[in-house]
Amino acid sequence: MLLFTRRPGRRLAWTAAAVASVAALSLSACSGSDPAGANGGSGSAITVFNGATGTITENFNPFSPTALQPTLGVIFESLYWYNLASESEPTPMLATGHEWNEDGTELTITTREGVKWNDGEPFSAADVAFTFNLVNETPELNTTGLAATAEATDENTVVLSFAEQSFMQEPEILGNRGIVPEHIWKDVADPVTEVNSNPVGTGAFKVKSFSAQSYALEKNADYWEEGKPAIDEVRYISLETADAASAALTAGQVDWMSAFLPGLEQLLKDQEDLAYVNTPALTTSIYTCSNAELGCEGPQTDVAVRQAIYHAIDRTQLNNLAGGGFAGEGSPTLLLPERDAKWIVDPEHKVAPQTADTATANQILDAAGWTLGADGIRVKDGQKLALTIQTVTGWSDYISLNDAMRQQLKEVGIDLTPTQLSWNEWNANQTGGTFQLSLDSIGLYASPNPYYPYNQRYHSDNTTPVGESAISGNFARYSNPVVDAAVRAAGSTNDEAEQLAQYAIVQEQIVNDLPYIPIYINSTLTEFNTSRAEGWPTNDDKYAFAASWKAWDNGIILKTITPVTK
Amino acid sequence: MRYVLQKLGFYVAALWAALTLNFLIPRWMPGDPVDIMISKLATRGPVTPSTRHAIELLLGTDSQQPLWQQYIAYLGQISSGNLGTSVVYFPTPVAKVISQTLPWTIGLIGIATIISFLVGIGLGTLAGWKRGSWLDNVIPVTTMLQSVPYFWLALILLFAFGSVWQVFPLNGGYDVYTTSIGLSWPFISSVLYYGALPALTIVISSIGGWMLGMRNMMVSTLSEDYILTAEAKGLKPGRIMRTYAARNAVLPSIAGFAISLGFVVAGSIVTEAVFSYPGIGSALLQAVNSNDYALMQGIFLVITLSVLGANLLVDLLYTIIDPRTRARA
């Protein structure tokens, strides 16, 4: 009888509904039946695979770094939402307006009227103030270094006061903080370890049932945006491997997932119901341990070697061999050439060269004193131009990248040795600086403003000597007083023209020094099943960052899609 | 009695050694849990020095504490039954993660192991009894299946019966779409249905070993003088096969069975990865990937206890079924 039941079972509908209601009484953890089963498989339930593997443990605490992914955006909402997939202004969510004072020490936020928590209580500016004060008072929750006290001056206005000038906190505050209800959270004994089993949020969905294998969210009937959401239920499942995920997708068991599937076009060719969108946003780059003064060792500490690598690699070939042809053109400024066009000052720096320029690479190396040895490898002062590049075992596209680059760099006399390590070891090397070259990606910050990558990747404050953990993000150990000053100057103003002038200085420096050598903008492929729901983002309409693992954007997509009526 | 006490003393010492290794091994691995959590957070947004501070406070890790103090604290926690808090699944206690996942593993792998042992021993007995029969000729086939790498066999069966013919589901422990956990027939039948293919792969890949071992022991036992005596006495062939030959021939297999029972928990990782089965193997994988010391130690403890427990049980069982072990002590 159970054979061939692949999706919300039609055959089992009536028995399942009857038994599930009994089970609901006996087990508090799973408090409900599946409406897809109960009403004979109507199309308004969709299934999401967001990369969860293994057993799922309950955690809907929006402050927790290990919260389940739909907690942010789908259940709890932020004041604004930033679309990182295309160039756009932040979208007002729980706030309708905001304004800084001139010194950047006070941020006044106007909150939305007519919003209700999913338990029926009204939302007000007091909840916003409570949320920010709770973070400020609890160091365990303060992962962004927020130093602000908040006060609700009336029903719809809240004022945040900062100890120092804080323009650059804006996207974190507005776009990256789930607002919680004061009437619930004031009684929470320990907000750090709270798992918030029955979350009360303002989002379009609320928790319906939970088990260690799967959980379901249901539509919030009181949601503030008229007529949304249209989908009744969203189910999240856990799968172990990419193989299992691709099998589940083609079998119609998953409606939304993000994975790099080799041969995607081929896979989807005969599947009418499946579609995909590509939202490239992360720049695959070669991280170099660049700074000999901080303890980096190897030829890559010579800027000429980094420049030679930059020119010697054939990015078109790399995209075809490793990127499946889906990758976009990267920029030596480490920004996204399309979305961030207005921030790239010199048009010459918009995109990195797409084909190999061995003449330039050879010329740079010759000028720097690297002479070609008898074995075809360059030598300087008795040191061979031999480098190792590390990546993680199982990251198949990065492994192919390394192999292809090995061939390409041989042309200019660079001997590249790829190594594969476990994720832990790779990560430990990268944060500790015990690597020569390492493949990783750069991107996805709180907002598209270049301040965030430039501060995190290039500012000396965010690095440490080799052997200490440079966890704040400047893994290249890059240190340049000109860049430091310009980044600080850009961060201390709200004026875009002034910021642009400072970024011009930064870009001039980093395009020459290349502590991170961009390869391409890696694809972020997201696959959809269009037979149950429609209105997903497309390549032409990237109204949100489509990846099924992305916090915040998931809430936007889930309230935008509509069920397919047959 | 002295024999039993000696054995128990040995097991206590082995337990202590295992617990100490459990403590040390994770700490020799590269990386530390705070860095790993931050690196994972960094893929979602920027991190600042204060992030590190917040995560350290959150996890309550104090890397400054000397190793021996951590060791004492660890032994103290274990003895009071407190396995600590998981980092991957923070703030869920380790005990809860284990209790969520262990029943699935014991259910699936445990039952599959018992089935393959019973069927393997039964068929091995018959094959040894009737040497040269068709059953005897099947043995090379089953041992060949055993020599095929397990994950490969499992993937092929999954592809054939899950994707091509769609007889069995592709992944999971039960039908999460239509049933919820509880003592109900749809749930139980769903669990059986979802467990059938993974169980089948385990049985297919391990049955050959049991059969071969049992068959060969049967053959050598059948050449013993007491079998000849029994035949001469005119006993029924069935009685000779079961009580005279099989009972003696099965002894080495029982020792082997204890070991494989002990490794039920440890050996589940590949099965669970292939079939996305929600057991303890996938939790261990997660723990190792994130240097989740507490969770790793908790799961290693379960593995240690199950291996030691199964061995102790068989040691004691041996004193009953094989009097010679007692005599030597």
Side-chain angles (χ1 to χ4, degrees):
Chain A
M1 166 184 183
L2 275 157
L3 296 187
F4 300 104
T5 349
R6 307 208 60 98
R7 266 280 311 175
R10 284 152 222 261
R11 258 170 289 179
L12 278 178
W14 294 106
T15 39
V19 179
S21 53
V22 177
L25 293 173
S26 59
L27 258 132
S28 58
C30 339
S31 53
S33 66
D34 187 316
N39 54 28
S42 81
S44 57
I46 64 156
T47 304
V48 182
F49 170 59
N50 60 10
T53 57
T55 189
I56 305 167
T57 54
E58 195 163 30
N59 185 352
F60 294 106
N61 179 348
F63 300 111
S64 172
T66 50
L68 293 168
Q69 178 255 339
T71 307
L72 301 180
V74 184
I75 298 170
F76 291 93
E77 291 182 311
S78 52
L79 295 166
Y80 279 82
W81 167 69
Y82 291 72
N83 183 3
L84 298 180
S86 53
E87 213 252 294
S88 57
E89 287 297 302
T91 309
M93 299 293 287
L94 290 179
T96 52
H98 69 282
E99 200 179 354
W100 283 97
N101 69 349
E102 220 152 86
D103 303 338
T105 54
E106 246 182 44
L107 177 63
T108 307
I109 297 162
T110 316
T111 59
R112 184 178 293 279
E113 290 178 53
V115 176
K116 275 186 180 161
W117 297 101
N118 66 32
D119 64 354
E121 296 284 321
F123 157 87
S124 81
D127 294 313
V128 178
F130 173 81
T131 303
F132 285 104
N133 285 331
L134 181 65
V135 173
N136 191 37
E137 287 156 14
T138 321
E140 288 92 333
L141 305 179
N142 198 353
T143 53
T144 55
L146 175 82
T149 50
E151 195 191 348
T153 49
D154 66 49
E155 270 299 281
N156 295 308
T157 313
V158 59
V159 180
L160 266 69
S161 311
F162 299 83
E164 51 188 63
Q165 186 257 62
S166 303
F167 289 121
M168 285 301 143
Q169 294 259 1
E170 185 180 297
E172 280 293 332
I173 292 164
L174 297 181
N176 214 2
R177 175 61 64 203
I179 304 298
V180 299
E182 182 175 13
H183 67 275
I184 305 276
W185 281 77
K186 70 177 166 30
D187 301 324
V188 168
D190 184 357
V192 178
T193 54
E194 171 68 35
V195 295
N196 202 20
S197 297
N198 189 16
V200 175
T202 56
F205 290 86
K206 54 187 181 182
V207 173
K208 183 185 185 204
S209 65
F210 183 88
S211 84
Q213 271 82 60
S214 164
Y215 52 98
L217 308 180
E218 66 184 341
K219 177 181 184 161
N220 175 7
D222 289 336
Y223 189 61
W224 52 267
E225 194 171 347
E226 198 71 32
K228 291 187 173 182
I231 295 284
D232 290 325
E233 184 178 308
V234 186
R235 179 170 288 281
Y236 288 83
I237 58 167
S238 153
L239 293 169
E240 215 56 47
T241 58
D243 292 334
S246 93
L249 178 75
T250 45
Q253 292 176 331
V254 168
D255 296 283
W256 182 10
M257 60 175 252
S258 294
F260 180 79
L261 302 175
L264 183 68
E265 301 270 8
Q266 204 62 28
L267 186 74
L268 300 190
K269 208 170 65 183
D270 304 323
Q271 305 270 350
E272 278 182 14
D273 291 338
L274 299 183
Y276 74 90
V277 57
N278 185 11
T279 40
L282 295 148
T283 309
T284 294
S285 311
I286 305 171
Y287 287 32
T288 69
C289 192
S290 64
N291 193 339
E293 276 170 34
L294 285 177
C296 293
E297 284 172 17
Q300 83 287 352
T301 52
D302 182 349
V303 64
V305 171
R306 301 199 294 271
Q307 290 170 346
I309 295 174
Y310 175 77
H311 289 290
I313 52 180
D314 182 342
R315 293 179 172 78
T316 310
Q317 191 188 29
L318 293 177
N319 185 5
N320 289 332
L321 288 174
F326 290 111
E329 295 180 342
S331 163
T333 61
L334 266 304
L335 304 180
L336 304 182
E338 281 171 40
R339 187 192 73 185
D340 304 335
K342 69 169 179 182
W343 294 114
I344 300 178
V345 182
D346 185 343
E348 259 186 40
H349 300 148
K350 194 172 173 206
V351 291
Q354 295 304 300
T355 48
D357 181 357
T358 46
T360 308
N362 279 323
Q363 199 185 336
I364 294 170
L365 289 172
D366 289 339
W370 291 95
T371 50
L372 211 53
D375 54 355
I377 306 300
R378 287 175 184 270
V379 192
K380 180 184 182 181
D381 304 337
Q383 188 192 20
K384 276 202 162 194
L385 188 37
L387 293 156
T388 56
I389 184 162
Q390 61 160 15
T391 192
V392 176
T393 313
W395 287 7
S396 52
D397 51 339
Y398 278 18
I399 293 166
S400 335
L401 266 184
N402 283 347
D403 291 339
M405 284 195 292
R406 173 188 200 148
Q407 301 290 330
Q408 295 177 353
L409 293 182
K410 197 159 257 171
E411 301 285 313
V412 295
I414 299 175
D415 181 23
L416 188 71
T417 311
T419 58
Q420 294 173 34
L421 306 170
S422 74
W423 189 89
N424 280 344
E425 204 177 346
W426 168 85
N427 183 54
N429 284 347
Q430 200 166 279
T431 53
T434 48
F435 68 101
Q436 292 186 319
L437 304 176
S438 178
L439 269 190
D440 200 355
S441 51
I442 291 181
L444 281 196
Y445 296 88
S447 98
N449 191 308
Y451 172 79
Y452 302 97
Y454 288 170
N455 180 45
Q456 188 184 12
R457 299 296 175 190
Y458 298 98
H459 200 284
S460 334
D461 281 358
N462 290 324
T463 198
T464 52
V466 168
E468 286 172 40
S469 198
I471 204 72
S472 306
N474 187 351
F475 300 130
R477 265 82 191 161
Y478 184 66
S479 178
N480 180 341
V482 180
V483 170
D484 289 353
V487 168
R488 279 294 161 266
S492 61
T493 173
N494 222 5
D495 177 10
E496 286 201 356
E498 174 58 24
Q499 288 184 335
L500 202 61
Q502 300 299 335
Y503 296 147
I505 300 172
V506 176
Q507 287 168 6
E508 204 56 48
Q509 296 290 322
I510 63 172
V511 164
N512 180 63
D513 292 347
L514 292 166
Y516 307 92
I517 305 168
I519 299 178
Y520 51 52
I521 318 271
N522 207 356
S523 58
T524 303
L525 293 172
T526 299
E527 296 85 15
F528 306 109
N529 188 322
T530 52
S531 69
R532 277 174 289 270
E534 58 195 1
W536 303 103
T538 62
N539 282 328
D540 298 327
D541 180 18
K542 290 171 181 162
Y543 65 81
F545 193 78
S548 65
W549 41 261
K550 180 77 175 73
W552 308 116
D553 301 56
N554 271 218
I556 303 294
I557 293 173
L558 285 174
K559 72 178 186 181
T560 308
I561 55 172
T562 51
V564 171
T565 44
K566 287 203 179 112
Chain B
M1 201 58 218
R2 199 172 135 236
Y3 170 78
V4 174
L5 283 179
Q6 261 180 0
K7 279 282 165 200
L8 284 177
F10 165 77
Y11 279 104
V12 170
L15 181 65
W16 172 77
L19 286 178
T20 306
L21 279 178
N22 271 358
F23 172 79
L24 289 175
I25 291 171
R27 282 168 176 78
W28 286 332
M29 291 171 49
D32 83 82
V34 176
D35 282 358
I36 287 170
M37 197 184 246
I38 291 173
S39 292
K40 290 196 167 153
L41 275 182
T43 61
R44 288 193 248 148
V47 290
T48 61
S50 53
T51 312
R52 186 182 180 83
H53 181 63
I55 302 274
E56 273 177 354
L57 288 174
L58 185 79
L59 299 178
T61 46
D62 185 359
S63 30
Q64 301 306 312
Q65 211 181 17
L67 204 62
W68 65 270
Q69 274 183 17
Q70 294 179 36
Y71 180 60
I72 305 256
Y74 159 77
L75 286 184
Q77 280 192 342
I78 295 274
S79 59
S80 64
N82 174 5
L83 298 178
T85 307
S86 164
V87 172
V88 197
Y89 299 113
F90 187 87
T92 313
V94 167
K96 188 172 178 200
V97 177
I98 292 177
S99 69
Q100 260 178 13
T101 51
L102 192 58
W104 290 96
T105 299
I106 291 184
L108 174 70
I109 319 258
I111 291 172
T113 306
I114 293 172
I115 290 176
S116 61
F117 174 73
L118 293 179
V119 175
I121 293 299
L123 292 177
T125 306
L126 287 175
W129 183 250
K130 294 189 175 171
R131 257 168 299 165
S133 70
W134 65 270
L135 193 62
D136 215 12
N137 296 329
V138 171
I139 289 184
V141 180
T142 60
T143 47
M144 189 207 75
L145 283 174
Q146 188 174 26
S147 65
V148 173
Y150 170 74
F151 75 94
W152 176 238
L153 178 80
L155 279 174
I156 288 179
L157 288 176
L158 184 65
F159 178 69
F161 294 106
S163 288
V164 179
W165 292 307
Q166 309 194 348
V167 182
F168 291 108
L170 287 166
N171 52 60
Y174 66 97
D175 186 353
V176 294
Y177 300 103
T178 57
T179 57
S180 48
I181 296 180
L183 281 177
S184 64
W185 173 241
F187 174 70
I188 293 167
S189 64
S190 177
V191 168
L192 293 177
Y193 173 51
Y194 274 68
L197 191 60
L200 197 66
T201 58
I202 297 171
V203 171
I204 289 177
S205 71
S206 60
I207 204 167
W210 299 123
M211 257 180 96
L212 187 68
M214 186 62 191
R215 184 251 178 212
N216 290 347
M217 275 312 284
M218 273 299 278
V219 171
S220 55
T221 314
L222 285 173
S223 65
E224 295 284 339
D225 290 343
Y226 59 82
I227 302 286
L228 198 66
T229 316
E231 278 170 353
K233 280 203 291 189
L235 292 178
K236 282 190 189 131
R239 183 171 154 85
I240 296 173
M241 179 178 83
R242 284 191 302 273
T243 329
Y244 283 70
R247 182 173 171 185
N248 286 300
V250 82
L251 288 173
S253 296
I254 288 189
F257 180 60
I259 293 165
S260 64
L261 262 194
F263 282 102
V264 159
V265 177
S268 63
I269 297 176
V270 180
T271 318
E272 289 172 12
V274 171
F275 294 97
S276 296
Y277 205 77
I280 205 167
S282 54
L284 180 59
L285 215 57
Q286 287 270 330
V288 171
N289 284 335
S290 308
N291 271 27
D292 190 342
Y293 298 154
L295 186 54
M296 265 189 274
Q297 282 163 356
I299 295 174
F300 286 152
L301 182 70
V302 171
I303 294 173
T304 311
L305 288 181
S306 61
V307 173
L308 288 178
N311 276 288
L312 176 64
L313 211 70
V314 170
D315 260 350
L316 297 179
L317 196 67
Y318 247 63
T319 62
I320 297 166
I321 56 175
D322 187 357
R324 286 172 299 183
T325 41
R326 262 173 301 177
R328 235 181 268 134

